[in-house]
């Protein structure tokens, strides 16, 4: 949980009034995933515009909206930004306590340090490896 102002003040040049500074309990770009206390981030996608689902997000419990256009008739605070797609990842990073800044888990293996995830990834690559023949969809055709 975090206050709206705490999530956004370092990312945006704005000041949020304490009267409209709700506690954010979850964030989502899909209105169906919003629960009470949520921040709904409107993404204008290829086939769907998140702005069309603001009412559904509010009905599901959204207490604030991050949008790329003005919404004067909204029942909850709306923060308008130029690019919600770019900002969504930064807001999520702050909301989830900046996991992108955490150190990778390392273990000592002889004289080298290896990331466990890298080792697992390499193992799966060697299992699923194929030679260089692929069809038009990128599927391996050597079988």
């Amino acid at each position: 949980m975090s206050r709206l102002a705490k999530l956004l003040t370092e990312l945006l040049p704005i000041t949020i009034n304490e009267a409209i500074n709700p506690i954010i309990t979850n964030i989502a770009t899909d209105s169906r995933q919003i629960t009470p206390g949520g921040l709904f981030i409107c993404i204008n996608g290829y086939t769907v515009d998140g702005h069309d689902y603001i009412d559904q997000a509010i009905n599901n419990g959204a207490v604030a909206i991050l949008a790329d256009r003005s919404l004067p008739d909204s029942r909850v605070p709306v923060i308008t930004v130029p690019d919600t797609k770019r900002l969504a990842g930064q807001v999520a990073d702050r909301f989830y306590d900046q996991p992108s800044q955490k150190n990778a888990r390392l273990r000592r293996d002889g004289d080298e340090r290896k990331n466990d995830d890298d080792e697992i990834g390499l193992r799966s690559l060697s299992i699923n490896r194929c030679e260089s023949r692929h069809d038009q969809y990128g599927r391996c055709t050597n079988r």
Side-chain angles (χ1 to χ4, degrees), residues 8-53:
L8 299 178
T9 51
E10 290 181 18
L11 301 174
L12 299 170
I14 60 171
T15 303
I16 295 178
N17 185 333
E18 274 304 311
I20 57 166
N21 188 16
I23 294 175
I24 303 299
T25 59
N26 66 84
I27 58 173
T29 57
D30 184 336
S31 61
R32 298 169 294 186
Q33 296 176 346
I34 289 291
T35 59
L39 170 64
F40 179 57
I41 303 174
C42 301
I43 302 288
N44 189 4
Y46 184 68
T47 58
V48 178
D49 184 357
H51 296 82
D52 296 339
Y53 296 92

Side-chain angles (χ1 to χ4, degrees), residues 41-46 83-90:
I41 303 174
C42 301
I43 302 288
N44 189 4
Y46 184 68
D83 187 359
T84 54
K85 286 181 188 177
R86 182 188 62 78
L87 200 57
Q90 295 172 345

Side-chain angles (χ1 to χ4, degrees), residues 97-113:
D97 196 26
Q98 298 181 322
S100 65
Q101 303 300 318
K102 304 278 189 229
N103 291 333
R105 294 175 310 204
L106 299 175
R107 69 177 171 85
R108 189 98 175 136
D109 186 19
D111 290 335
E112 298 177 12
R113 289 179 174 247

